[in-house]
Amino acid sequence: MDAAVISEANAEDCNEIMNMINDLAKYEKMESCVEIDTERLRTDLGNGKFDCIVCKIMGDIMGFAIFVYTFDMKSGKKMYLEDLFVKEIYRKQGIGVNYGALDHQVQRKRMCVHGILCFKLEPK
């Protein structure tokens, strides 16, 4: 397999990210809960409402991680890994672990005091 490249998502990535969000919702049996569309995703990404990292092989997106932020008066800015998704054909190859390792890099870049990773392995 060619080397995976992990980078920050941009507006051009939003169509494929939205497809994967729908795949994730289907996996979790929550299709009816998806209220956003590609335009909203693109707008919110551009306005900094969340951060998204994508993993690509030869330019094709194979997965994404979405990070959101909150602020706590006691400890400051906190970052949460909201969603992590890897396309089924790329699973069990350590790609999700690479996203987890990026958590600390994203925390430092965004000046967060805490980052919280929560994993759910089974669908609802």
Side-chain angles (χ1 to χ4, degrees):
M1 176 169 36
D2 291 310
V5 176
I6 297 176
S7 62
E8 290 190 35
N10 59 49
E12 292 84 38
D13 298 328
C14 287
N15 286 333
E16 186 60 26
I17 294 168
M18 192 67 226
N19 289 337
M20 289 185 287
I21 287 172
N22 288 322
D23 289 344
L24 178 60
K26 183 177 181 181
Y27 173 79
E28 292 184 341
K29 297 177 175 60
M30 297 178 67
E31 299 99 324
S32 64
C33 295
V34 178
E35 296 178 2
I36 64 168
D37 59 19
T38 304
E39 253 336 286
R40 173 75 183 272
L41 185 71
R42 188 175 289 118
T43 299
D44 287 352
L45 178 65
N47 290 337
K49 296 200 176 185
F50 67 93
D51 281 324
C52 183
I53 295 171
V54 292
C55 185
K56 297 180 181 181
I57 291 183
M58 297 180 62
D60 292 329
I61 298 174
M62 51 194 276
F64 73 89
I66 291 180
F67 299 93
V68 296
Y69 303 91
T70 187
F71 186 84
D72 177 65
M73 290 177 32
K74 185 175 175 184
S75 58
K77 189 175 181 182
K78 294 181 180 182
M79 179 187 79
Y80 293 88
L81 175 60
E82 177 66 24
D83 285 314
L84 170 65
F85 183 81
V86 176
K87 290 180 179 177
E88 189 169 359
I89 61 171
Y90 297 108
R91 293 182 192 157
K92 298 186 181 188
Q93 298 179 35
I95 294 163
V97 173
N98 289 336
Y99 278 120
L102 282 174
D103 175 55
H104 295 292
Q105 293 176 11
V106 174
Q107 283 181 52
R108 285 193 301 277
K109 184 177 180 183
R110 301 296 187 244
M111 298 173 60
C112 295
V113 294
H114 296 289
I116 298 173
L117 296 173
C118 298
F119 291 99
K120 183 173 81 174
L121 301 175
E122 296 297 323
K124 289 184 177 178

